[in-house]
Amino acid sequence: MMSDMPPRTRGGYTSTAPRRRPTGSERRRRVQLREVEPVPDRDPIEHPQHDRDKTDEVLEGAPGGPIDRCILRSFHKHVAAKIWLGEDRAPLKLVNHGAKLQLWVLDAERSRISETVQRSGLAPLISCSHRVASRPMLSAFCERWQPETTTFHLPFGEMTITLDDVASILHIPITGSMISFSQPLRVDDANALLVELLGTTDVEASRETEQCRSPSVRLLWLRENFSTITDVSSADDIEFATRAFLLHLVGCTLFADKSATSVGVVYLELFRDLSMVGRYAWGAACLAFLYRQLTTATRFEVRQLGGYLTLLQAWIYEHFPEMFSSPDLSYIESRPRALRWRPHVIPDSLQLVRERLDRLQSSDVYWEPYVDHRVEHPFPDIAWFSGCIQCGLVVEPYHPERVLRQFGYIQTIPPRPFAPPRPERSILLDQYWERWTDHVLTDQSRGRRCQYLGSGESVADYMAWYDRISHRILQPPHLRSGFTTDARSSLPSHTASTSDSRNARALTLLRRVISGGRQQSGDYFWGALNEAHSILAGSDETSASHNTPSPAPASHSTLSPATRPFFSPPTFVYPPPASVDPPPASYDPPPLIVPSPPASVAPPAPAADPSAPASDSTTCTAVYVRSKRKKKT
């Protein structure tokens, strides 16, 4: 009987095939796999460079930059590398559910659900979500996103969406417990959650997950089954409908994935206790999720962009208002900053937006757009946190030291970015996040403040370093529109000259004077003009050396950015201002006075009276015409 059984293999399985000894290549491959196994007792939080052992390796530079790939190590797979070589990619398809939020409205008949949503801290998402997203604008910014640094690489330096941006634009919590999961959710577990937390049957839950082919449910399914529940329903039904509404809300906003129709059931676990929904750091999770969606979209073969695009679009409006924005004049600062803008689709093509970003300068950026907003919402200290942010199994690095200019500080050369740890170490990440006060940038790491509000200053050697490690210009000159061999456009210079820096600071002051209108005092008006003139005249030696920075004037906080068409900033040279008294506080324009014509010019002849008899010349002309007609007849 034993002789009839097939031989057993080393793994315990039986096989009728003869046993084959492993070849030499297979043995070498097994040895290599054993050598690269991670050390289990190593802490990736305390040693953020744990998998950066190969950073000393010199990688070959890419065409158009970076010359040194010690930072952007995967740039050869980036869409920008393909665009530089002449390959093009169409605008990305955007996943935006702003219109779907209007299909489930919490009216007076659903006040009990609305009260719970208000306490959760997620209620601002209902009103501030944009229904329209601009494909050329968002696609062009996505092409400048670099996964290693989690920042946008622009011609003048790096910028990114910070926790301060999330708090100001969305007004959702950015502090609290981190949203983390130790492992992916299985379909069977998703069905059990739907039955327990939404009150569905096993058959309904299985049918829905099978239709989605994943542990997810359709947004339409949530609306069809729970949007009809009102305050007269049972307490259990109201609780189920509240969880369904919150799951529908985060699926349309914070965690909008590229399925474009469904939301993961794994987020339903966060709404198990409805009284504890507000304790999560929803803003940090939204930011980590958006970072990962931007990273995925930087690959040339990807054609779609997910994440909360309202956050990305409003961030662009805030920092580049002169290029794309259309402000809402009825906005008040107590509301989320996402409501300050009227989203619209820009008429420019993706190619034109790329060229506008290639011409962008530091003086075109509003580095600190939330000055007026600080009265209602002060600056959150957690925005200085330097570490990792998490959303489930998504872990992304957060580097405020790379974008110091967005916090009003002079940009220095940042340290090398660290790689995020594995999401399996979620307990360590949670502990690291809970002690965020121990991991913020110190005063020494922040450096010195900029001398002028929103001037966007950097140290002398920053641009030389940035030009070596970054891809500043997206396209070579011969691929731009309107290129001719006779008039070749040149790339921007590597470092800005002293005159360019003076022009940028003077233009910043003048723009704020213009945008302030008649609400500002005369003393501030002439003071700003005198300061701009001193900068352009070259007498501001202390500001050029950046040795003695001074705080910005307090009156700047009353000004708001104005909008105008985007052009390259011209160079203004003003004469010294004359000693003119400032206008009074209640200034009214003088009445319009029409000047009389000079004496040498004869007044126009009065109009002829139709009742007056005709003159002799008119009578003679009429007789002559009648005589000519008689001769013809």
Side-chain angles (χ1 to χ4, degrees), residues 266 280 315 400 556 564:
V266 66
Y280 292 106
W315 179 85
H556 285 183
R564 63 171 177 80

Side-chain angles (χ1 to χ4, degrees), residues 355-374:
E355 296 178 6
R356 294 169 73 181
L357 292 181
D358 279 344
R359 298 192 303 266
L360 202 63
Q361 299 182 13
S362 175
S363 58
D364 300 316
V365 181
Y366 281 82
W367 294 100
E368 301 175 74
Y370 311 120
V371 176
D372 299 340
H373 203 61
R374 299 301 185 203

